[in-house]
Amino acid sequence: MPEIADLRKILMHDHPFGFLLEVVLRTVIMFLIILIALRASGRRGIKQLSIFELVLIIGLGSAAGDPMFYDDVGILPAFVVFLVVITLYITITRLSDRFVKIEKLLEGEPLYVIRDGKLSMDAFRESGLSQDEFFAELRLRNVEHLGQVRTVLIETSGEFSVLFYADENVRYGLPIFPNELQNKLSGTTHANCAYIACAKCGGVRNGKDLGELPTCPECDVCEWIEASNTKRIA
């Protein structure tokens, strides 16, 4: 069992118990500074934050946290850090509103990862998402196969914008549910399929017109799945 002196050191280190009141005061002051800083930065929610804004918030975490419980870190220097960073943020935001190049440099550009029911492989690779992650996001939006989707755009905030085909315009497309993705075609089984879809990019071909399973011209992969054209259930 630790001695009383050891326990006190574990709890308070070298500080007197009266330092807890100072911690309370420091925390209240820094909390108010954080609220004022966030209020000054605008009304956007967390999901709307760009990478640039997330970096600012993470960077300010130490400036906000350290003065709350370190007695050798003053509150005034932390306040100056907040003041300078928020001023820079407002200035850069206004510049990015005026100059498109600055906005693209700081926030990037939206990525069109699906066009006309097929993955745009260059944009998809740039997104940094795995196929499983991407398809999971689509499934949460009641997507059963890529033929139901006209366009998917990944916004600079990381949010997905999805445009669907009307039911009468739904095409054949790659199924995106895990059990269906595992049912890859082999041999001549594709001859019984009206259409087949590339398991990687979603490109669709007529299965009955093929003598053997080809290599996909879009992504150089020879993995195919029977395409689906079911209507979307909203």
Side-chain angles (χ1 to χ4, degrees):
M1 294 292 291
E3 297 179 0
I4 298 298
D6 293 334
L7 183 60
R8 187 185 187 286
K9 185 175 182 180
I10 291 172
L11 294 176
M12 294 297 299
H13 192 54
D14 295 329
H15 298 296
F17 281 98
F19 180 65
L20 293 176
L21 294 177
E22 184 179 335
V23 170
V24 172
L25 179 60
R26 285 169 170 266
T27 303
V28 169
I29 294 173
M30 290 309 303
F31 179 75
L32 293 175
I33 291 175
I34 294 170
L35 283 180
I36 294 170
L38 292 178
R39 180 65 183 86
S41 66
R43 296 176 176 271
R44 289 200 279 184
I46 293 298
K47 287 188 176 182
Q48 296 172 304
L49 294 178
S50 65
I51 294 175
F52 169 59
E53 291 161 332
L54 285 174
V55 168
L56 286 179
I57 290 175
I58 293 171
L60 287 173
S62 178
D66 290 354
M68 291 182 181
F69 54 87
Y70 288 129
D71 63 344
D72 59 343
V73 179
I75 291 177
L76 187 58
F79 175 76
V80 172
V81 170
F82 268 76
L83 184 63
V84 171
V85 170
I86 294 301
T87 300
L88 286 173
Y89 167 73
I90 293 173
T91 302
I92 293 173
T93 299
R94 289 180 178 176
L95 286 174
S96 65
D97 288 339
R98 292 185 58 186
F99 302 102
V100 176
K101 289 185 178 180
I102 295 179
E103 181 181 12
K104 289 181 179 179
L105 178 64
L106 294 175
E107 300 190 1
E109 297 183 80
L111 292 174
Y112 284 88
V113 290
I114 285 186
R115 294 178 184 269
D116 300 322
K118 186 172 67 174
L119 282 167
S120 299
M121 295 308 299
D122 289 341
F124 183 69
R125 281 189 288 268
E126 188 177 344
S127 74
L129 293 171
S130 69
Q131 189 185 71
D132 289 341
E133 291 172 323
F134 180 63
F135 285 171
E137 288 285 345
L138 294 183
R139 291 194 295 268
L140 291 173
R141 290 164 173 78
N142 299 324
V143 176
E144 186 177 349
H145 62 86
L146 297 187
Q148 298 171 339
V149 180
R150 179 158 59 90
T151 303
V152 175
L153 184 70
I154 300 181
E155 306 290 353
T156 56
S157 63
E159 289 290 283
F160 281 55
S161 296
V162 183
L163 299 178
F164 298 98
Y165 284 113
D167 280 349
E168 61 271 17
N169 296 325
V170 167
R171 305 179 175 190
Y172 279 91
L174 174 67
I176 63 172
F177 277 78
N179 60 329
E180 295 173 308
L181 288 170
Q182 294 173 4
N183 294 329
K184 293 182 173 63
L185 299 171
S186 60
T188 59
T189 55
H190 62 280
N192 299 321
C193 304
Y195 290 91
I196 59 176
C198 174
K200 185 172 182 181
C201 72
V204 176
R205 301 191 65 173
N206 190 320
K208 295 183 178 180
D209 291 343
L210 300 173
E212 60 182 19
L213 288 172
T215 297
C216 177
E218 300 292 335
C219 60
D220 295 324
V221 168
C222 186
E223 292 184 348
W224 299 86
I225 296 172
E226 184 175 5
S228 173
N229 69 336
T230 56
K231 309 301 181 184
R232 178 171 172 265
I233 300 176

